[in-house]
Amino acid sequence: MSTAARTFRELYGHAPEGVWAAPGRVNLIGEHTDYNDGFVLPFALPQRTEVAAARRTDGTLRLHSADASSGVVSLDVAALDPADPPRGAASWACYPAGVVWALLEAGLPVGGGADVHIRSEVPTGAGLSSSAALEVATALALADLYGLALTRPELAALARRAENAYVGVPCGAMDQMASACASDGHALHLDTRSLEQRHIPFDCAAAGLRLLVIDTRVKHALADGAYARRRASCHRAAAALGVPALRDLPYEGLEEALALLADPEARKRVRHVVTENERVARTEELLRAGRLRETGPLLTEGHASLRDDYEVSCPELDLAVATAGAAGAYGSRMTGGGFGGSALALIDADAEAEVGRAVAEAFRAGGHAPPRITAAAPASGAARLL
Ligand code: GLA
């Protein structure tokens, strides 16, 4: 029996009906493009969140997390309300509760409730989508328990709805789609408008490469308003340029579009989004051609664009990227929403120890807390384990 199933039984006095898992993600490239109907290229991490669960019939949702001190949080399913979410020590329960609320809102019959135990390996606040992992694992568990015929993109959409409307974070489609739909050994090319997916082989090990994830340990908080402000300024710029979304601006027409914008900040934001969509396309081509090393400069260009034009980096991310580059990385960039969280670096497999040491030493010299450095390889999306 898995640890999650065993703990479930100890907590609730009966066995779970199943255990489901969904991974965190790293975004290789395509940052702050998903709420502009643009393109992203994430892959799933091997670290996942497990949800052991069983149906109830009395309309109660009991939630427990191995990582929280709050004990079992018991909620009345019929009373779930985004205006009155679990707070304080129980605020982690917003994610699974939000998923149940989103399923009900969509008219799906999950009103009986459930007993749920959660156990996660995805670090929180590291820009690796621990919240999407929890939402998607919960959505998959509920869908299976209640026999709901939902596709992976539908599950991802419900998970995102929970995050947007119940948790209150206005994220785009990338994280939940990556967690729900990614496949082992592949990056997921996603058109966030049509939700068309392409699974692109991405095997670093076979090419003698490693992808390092450098968690700066600087906690990012997307809910603090900076993310929502970036999003709003993109939507205003699209309206000013007369396009449905910034995705509709062709890379070739970028200079003309920029000339139409009076606000220098809007020009910078638009330049990031349009050039980033182009970098996603070029990265996909290089991966398909097996020219993995050549994606490096695109990663590093993407970082400069996020730092200078989109202004979502921070000193620790910049230090990680600069140090990895100086230590021989082919390319490096922040990944995820920014303002902290993680950077990634594409390096030769045999340079792992050296680059890791250089980054750790630079953080020490800069007076920063030690970063957490791991190697990542594309893993599979959400699945039922038991
Ligand atoms: C966060 C959001 C995503 C995406 C990224 C930036 O991770 O949850 O939807 O917008 O930031 O690319």
Side-chain angles (χ1 to χ4, degrees):
M1 196 187 283
S2 75
T3 308
R6 209 171 32 244
T7 309
F8 181 101
R9 187 194 277 276
E10 284 161 19
L11 275 170
Y12 296 118
H14 58 95
E17 288 179 63
V19 178
W20 293 262
R25 63 97 190 93
V26 166
N27 188 17
L28 182 61
I29 197 155
E31 219 65 84
H32 290 277
T33 49
D34 64 350
Y35 50 82
N36 291 301
D37 281 3
F39 303 92
V40 294
L41 196 54
F43 63 88
L45 284 169
Q47 289 88 351
R48 357 182 243 197
T49 297
E50 291 184 11
V51 164
R55 238 170 327 169
R56 295 179 65 91
T57 52
D58 64 352
T60 305
L61 179 63
R62 293 199 292 177
L63 301 167
H64 180 267
S65 165
D67 301 314
S69 56
S70 51
V72 174
V73 177
S74 190
L75 301 166
D76 176 1
V77 173
L80 290 175
D81 179 356
D84 184 23
R87 290 176 215 277
S91 58
W92 62 269
C94 284
Y95 299 97
V99 168
V100 174
W101 171 83
L103 290 162
L104 286 170
E105 187 207 32
L108 296 162
V110 296
D115 286 340
V116 173
H117 166 67
I118 297 152
R119 189 189 160 77
S120 185
E121 304 162 342
V122 188
T124 56
L128 302 175
S129 290
S130 59
S131 54
L134 175 49
E135 291 154 357
V136 170
T138 308
L140 187 60
L142 267 291
D144 273 4
L145 286 177
Y146 281 89
L148 311 174
L150 294 167
T151 63
R152 291 309 173 98
E154 285 168 347
L155 283 173
L158 288 161
R160 178 184 173 202
R161 173 76 185 146
E163 175 109 21
N164 290 168
Y166 193 93
V167 182
V169 177
C171 66
M174 170 169 68
D175 305 341
Q176 290 80 9
M177 281 294 287
S179 184
C181 304
S183 60
D184 196 17
H186 293 76
L188 175 69
H189 182 282
L190 183 70
D191 176 335
T192 65
R193 172 175 283 166
S194 67
L195 296 189
E196 187 199 322
Q197 307 174 25
R198 291 197 290 267
H199 296 261
I200 318 292
F202 181 44
D203 187 348
C204 284
L209 297 169
R210 281 265 194 295
L211 202 72
L212 288 189
V213 175
I214 304 163
D215 174 6
T216 63
R217 316 284 280 269
V218 177
K219 291 284 176 193
H220 73 137
L222 295 184
D224 77 353
Y227 182 90
R229 283 197 297 280
R230 297 295 182 290
R231 187 184 166 111
S233 96
C234 287
H235 294 175
R236 272 197 310 277
L241 293 167
V243 288
L246 294 183
R247 174 272 179 64
D248 297 298
L249 295 175
Y251 178 67
E252 298 70 29
L254 176 61
E255 292 309 320
E256 290 99 280
L258 295 181
L260 297 171
L261 291 168
D263 174 17
E265 189 181 280
R267 282 203 293 273
K268 294 207 284 185
R269 304 296 188 250
V270 169
R271 186 162 58 210
H272 167 70
V273 174
V274 174
T275 58
E276 185 78 349
N277 279 328
E278 177 70 10
R279 281 186 286 273
V280 174
R282 284 160 55 199
T283 303
E284 182 192 3
E285 277 167 26
L286 289 170
L287 293 187
R288 283 191 183 284
R291 291 157 59 191
L292 272 57
R293 284 176 179 73
E294 291 169 61
T295 64
L298 294 168
L299 305 181
T300 306
E301 264 174 43
H303 184 78
S305 180
L306 287 159
R307 182 190 61 209
D308 302 336
D309 279 345
Y310 220 66
E311 299 178 278
V312 291
S313 188
C314 68
E316 292 84 351
L317 285 168
D318 293 342
L319 181 64
V321 167
T323 310
Y330 292 103
S332 182
R333 62 182 285 275
M334 53 158 274
T335 183
F339 309 108
S342 298
L344 55 84
L346 183 67
I347 63 171
D348 276 325
D350 58 14
E352 187 174 343
E354 189 185 324
V355 174
R357 252 196 317 275
V359 173
E361 172 53 24
F363 270 59
R364 200 196 55 74
H368 306 300
R372 192 190 294 122
I373 305 177
T374 48
S380 46
R384 182 171 191 156
L385 301 184
L386 283 176

